[in-house]
Amino acid sequence: MTFTDDEIAYLRSQPLARFATLSEDGEQPDVVPLAFEFDGTHFWVGGVGASVLATRKFRNIRAGRSKVALVIDDMVSFDPFVARGIRVYGEADEPIERVGAVGPGIYARVTPKVSWSWNMAGEPAGETWYPSRRVVHGEA
């Protein structure tokens, strides 16, 4: 399965994600906010200039800790309460040089493995929290 048209539109409308890799000790998540790009299948994280290779996200990925997570969410309204989001668990490839949304740079491709989304329609919360949609990517 894959992302729905509504999920893809949401991912492309959001400029920022929280991105987690495994820290040096392999025990704790190392979370950083970052801009991301979504091409309809994969996520791309990175930036311009060789100094991006020294960032924690790339140090962790290049050390073989390739399991990553992205959380993309927003709060549409407090009154009424409206929140929506997507959480993605995936595998990151080694960084490569490519032209991304912000120009040429060094980026790592993230292949989604499992994702959860909620409230893509942007509806107010009701008596219970929003139901989520879980997808295992790469399965028919």
Side-chain angles (χ1 to χ4, degrees):
M1 293 184 71
T2 188
F3 294 104
T4 66
D5 289 343
D6 286 344
E7 290 167 337
I8 290 171
Y10 178 74
L11 289 167
R12 289 186 173 154
S13 74
Q14 298 301 307
L16 191 66
R18 288 179 295 280
F19 183 74
T21 56
L22 286 174
S23 62
E24 283 186 35
D25 63 11
E27 299 293 323
Q28 292 295 314
D30 193 350
V31 182
V32 296
L34 52 68
F36 70 96
E37 185 179 337
F38 182 66
D39 66 13
T41 304
H42 299 96
F43 294 86
W44 293 89
V45 298
V48 178
S51 63
V52 74
L53 290 171
T55 62
R56 290 193 326 257
K57 66 182 170 280
F58 280 166
R59 286 195 318 261
N60 290 335
I61 292 168
R62 294 175 85 197
R65 296 182 294 276
S66 62
K67 290 184 179 183
V68 301
L70 292 104
V71 176
I72 303 100
D73 57 6
D74 67 338
M75 172 88 57
V76 178
S77 170
F78 282 104
D79 188 17
F81 184 84
V82 178
R84 58 192 176 164
I86 297 177
R87 178 180 67 200
V88 178
Y89 290 173
E91 293 280 334
D93 294 337
E94 287 284 323
I96 61 168
E97 289 187 34
R98 73 182 281 270
V99 177
V102 297
I106 301 170
Y107 298 86
R109 182 178 71 174
V110 175
T111 301
K113 299 299 182 183
V114 182
S115 68
W116 296 261
S117 67
W118 61 95
N119 199 26
M120 293 293 98
E123 299 293 328
E127 297 273 327
T128 60
W129 191 246
Y130 305 109
S132 64
R133 175 180 180 265
R134 181 181 185 270
V135 174
V136 177
H137 296 268
E139 292 186 355

